[in-house]
Amino acid sequence: MSQPMIQAETIAAIATAIVPQQGSVGIVRLSGASAQAIAQQLFHAPGQQPWESHRILYGYVRHPQTQQVIDEALLMLMLAPRSYTREDVVEFHCHGGIMAVQQVLQLCLATGARLAQPGEFTLRAFLNGRLDLTQAEGIADLVGARSPQAAQTALAGIQGKLASAIGSLRQSCLALLAEVEARIDFADDLPPLAEAAVAQQLDQVLAQVRQILATADRGELLRSGLRVAIVGRPNVGKSSLLNAWSRSDRAIVTNLPGTTRDVVESQLVVGGIPIQVLDTAGIRDALDQVEKIGVERSRQAAQSADLVLLTLDAEAGWTPEDAQLYELVRDRPLIWVINKIDLVAPEALSLPPLAEQRVYTAAAQNQGIEALENAILAAVQAGKLAAADWDIAINQRQAAALTQAQTALTQVQATIQAHLPLDFWTIDLRSAIRALGEITGDDLTESMLDQIFSRFCIGK
């Protein structure tokens, strides 16, 4: 293991979410060469408590000049290299809320630390070899996870599953490059290059690249979730459907058409996928200015949604207004929701032939919700975003680099088929190796690092 590169500057930040009157504990974190010295100036541990690494001390945070007690706290000391950043790290575990952690942070800054930049703790962990870049991005994904499945996928990234796969591909490309360059440098001393064997290895590498690249949509789905808009005429039961689905009274339900005047949102998780459900105002010719604005927002929500639940009133049957709505959203991924099915006999139900998937519900009776969720998951799977084997799910940056690697490797294949000199092979092999290295951080520029870690929260 390489030695940690302890930074000259010691950084500090609040490492926990700060919400007034909520949260029992707030953490202030320091990392760097002066972290322990700053802590010893600010923290008084009564009795004979030893200042040793990976021990928890009890005591008080005091102002170094006035000796005024700022907070009763715990202190955790983690000396390099056995810390998150592989530098000396100190954490003050204070009372939650705003004032205690803010005052402790200000004392740390006044005693020699500087405020950390977004993601700087994790950046130092990366620079000191504690993490590779895929693991660092996995930490950001875990912090922002919106579903248990998203959290599990992020954890798999932290555990190095993506890094292992990409590292193996990069090593295969490096081995191929070494074989080719050896034939260029020592052509007289080595047997001819087995082009068929190289082509076969390239095929295997490319197949694995494409397999990982296919998880990009899956990763985007887990991170961003699915926007689902409930669309329909007034009084077809859209709000009742939202309430039954979310098991809450998010939307006002009455028998009066036009009750919903704006888009109502609810956050759900279906099959491990975060879903933002939008209950839209009934789309019709508005009777007043407020409803007109709500209808226009509903049209926009329907056009921007990843999936539209076009809701019909089974009792009223198919109407000209339903036909107009269908024309509005027919170019979007669509599921028909035939609601109020409890109010009509099956033989009396009159609907035109509908190509899209149908679901029958009685939202007011909480019926048909499971069938609706299964239909949504089926629509997701039909889009080749199957909710199985979530261990690897790359992000947009990783997908862009992997696409570059795929293009370069495909060009190597074309070069082989064209029987071009070996020097041409090496150009694209190096491009593929460089692109794969960008994913794990083996080949990365400072500007790219800044761009990646600027998306992290300050205390991470």
Side-chain angles (χ1 to χ4, degrees):
M1 179 181 292
S2 61
Q3 292 299 312
M5 302 185 304
I6 298 181
Q7 301 293 318
E9 291 185 305
T10 296
I11 57 174
I14 297 172
T16 48
I18 303 301
V19 182
Q21 299 180 341
Q22 295 185 29
S24 60
V25 177
I27 298 175
V28 177
R29 176 180 294 153
L30 296 93
S31 180
S34 302
Q36 183 176 2
I38 292 172
Q40 287 174 331
Q41 291 184 64
L42 301 180
F43 192 80
H44 171 67
Q48 301 298 317
Q49 301 178 67
W51 281 73
E52 296 176 354
S53 185
H54 292 80
R55 292 181 69 97
I56 297 176
L57 305 181
Y58 162 78
Y60 301 91
V61 180
R62 291 179 171 176
H63 193 288
Q65 277 79 44
T66 67
Q67 296 301 303
Q68 177 186 357
V69 174
I70 303 301
D71 193 19
E72 180 184 28
L74 300 176
L75 183 136
M76 182 176 293
L77 176 64
M78 293 162 280
L79 297 179
R82 297 174 56 208
S83 71
Y84 179 68
T85 61
R86 295 193 70 210
E87 302 172 348
D88 290 348
V89 171
V90 169
E91 290 183 350
F92 294 94
H93 290 235
C94 311
H95 285 92
I98 295 178
M99 291 311 302
V101 289
Q102 288 284 5
Q103 290 183 83
V104 172
L105 175 61
Q106 290 304 317
L107 286 180
C108 291
L109 299 180
T111 315
R114 69 161 172 83
L115 187 63
Q117 297 295 319
E120 190 170 359
F121 289 97
T122 304
L123 174 60
R124 290 191 176 197
F126 166 72
L127 294 175
N128 289 331
R130 171 72 171 74
L131 305 167
D132 74 13
L133 201 52
T134 64
Q135 292 173 307
E137 290 177 301
I139 290 170
D141 289 339
L142 184 59
V143 172
R146 297 168 54 196
S147 71
Q149 190 61 66
Q152 285 299 312
T153 303
L155 189 59
I158 295 172
Q159 293 171 338
K161 292 187 177 181
L162 176 59
S164 176
I166 297 298
S168 177
L169 291 173
R170 189 167 183 268
Q171 286 301 316
S172 296
C173 291
L174 284 169
L176 288 174
L177 180 62
E179 285 285 334
V180 174
E181 289 185 331
R183 295 316 190 282
I184 295 173
D185 296 335
F186 307 103
D188 296 334
D189 302 322
L190 294 173
L193 187 65
E195 294 188 9
V198 171
Q200 184 178 9
Q201 292 179 60
L202 276 173
D203 288 342
Q204 295 173 353
V205 171
L206 260 172
Q208 294 176 59
V209 167
R210 293 186 180 113
Q211 185 177 7
I212 298 174
L213 195 54
T215 70
D217 288 339
R218 174 191 308 170
E220 184 64 21
L221 187 64
L222 278 179
R223 294 177 183 93
S224 302
L226 196 68
R227 283 173 55 90
V228 177
I230 305 175
V231 176
R233 295 185 294 107
N235 212 32
V236 297
K238 300 184 299 299
S239 297
S240 295
L241 183 62
L242 174 65
N243 289 345
W245 196 4
S246 63
R247 297 173 178 83
S248 67
D249 294 328
R250 294 299 305 274
I252 299 173
V253 178
T254 74
N255 292 324
L256 299 174
T259 300
T260 301
R261 296 297 187 97
D262 203 351
V263 177
V264 180
E265 300 184 10
S266 186
Q267 303 293 331
L268 304 173
V269 176
V270 176
I273 300 171
I275 292 183
Q276 180 186 22
V277 185
L278 309 175
D279 172 26
T280 65
I283 297 179
R284 65 174 181 177
D285 291 331
L287 303 179
D288 57 59
Q289 186 63 28
V290 174
E291 186 181 1
K292 183 178 180 180
I293 295 173
V295 169
E296 181 57 33
R297 290 181 178 178
S298 297
R299 294 179 187 274
Q300 294 173 1
Q303 290 297 320
S304 63
D306 301 307
L307 179 66
V308 172
L309 305 181
L310 187 50
T311 308
L312 301 181
D313 183 338
E315 190 176 25
W318 182 259
T319 69
E321 290 81 4
D322 294 320
Q324 291 176 6
L325 282 178
Y326 179 58
E327 291 301 318
L328 176 67
V329 298
R330 65 183 303 171
D331 61 330
R332 310 300 301 162
L334 177 67
I335 295 175
W336 291 95
V337 179
I338 317 302
N339 193 36
K340 304 184 183 180
I341 195 64
D342 56 319
L343 301 179
V344 61
E347 61 273 10
L349 185 62
S350 177
L351 296 173
L354 303 174
E356 295 83 4
Q357 189 174 8
R358 301 187 194 185
V359 176
Y360 297 91
T361 64
Q365 311 301 324
N366 293 321
Q367 296 176 11
I369 302 303
E370 183 177 354
L372 175 61
E373 292 184 344
N374 290 337
I376 290 173
L377 292 177
V380 169
Q381 292 171 347
K384 299 181 180 180
L385 301 176
D389 185 18
W390 296 91
D391 274 358
I392 293 178
I394 60 176
N395 60 31
Q396 291 182 348
R397 184 196 71 83
Q398 295 160 353
L402 207 57
T403 300
Q404 292 177 8
Q406 177 182 242
T407 301
L409 292 171
T410 302
Q411 186 59 43
V412 177
Q413 287 183 321
T415 300
I416 294 174
Q417 293 171 0
H419 303 290
L420 294 176
L422 296 183
D423 300 83
F424 289 86
W425 300 25
T426 64
I427 296 172
D428 294 307
L429 275 173
R430 289 195 186 96
S431 295
I433 292 166
R434 184 168 54 253
L436 293 171
E438 288 181 2
I439 297 175
T440 56
D442 292 297
D443 287 294
L444 210 59
T445 65
E446 185 175 346
S447 61
M448 292 178 68
L449 281 179
D450 291 341
Q451 181 181 6
I452 292 166
F453 285 98
S454 65
R455 296 194 294 265
F456 283 57
C457 59
I458 288 180
K460 198 52 170 171

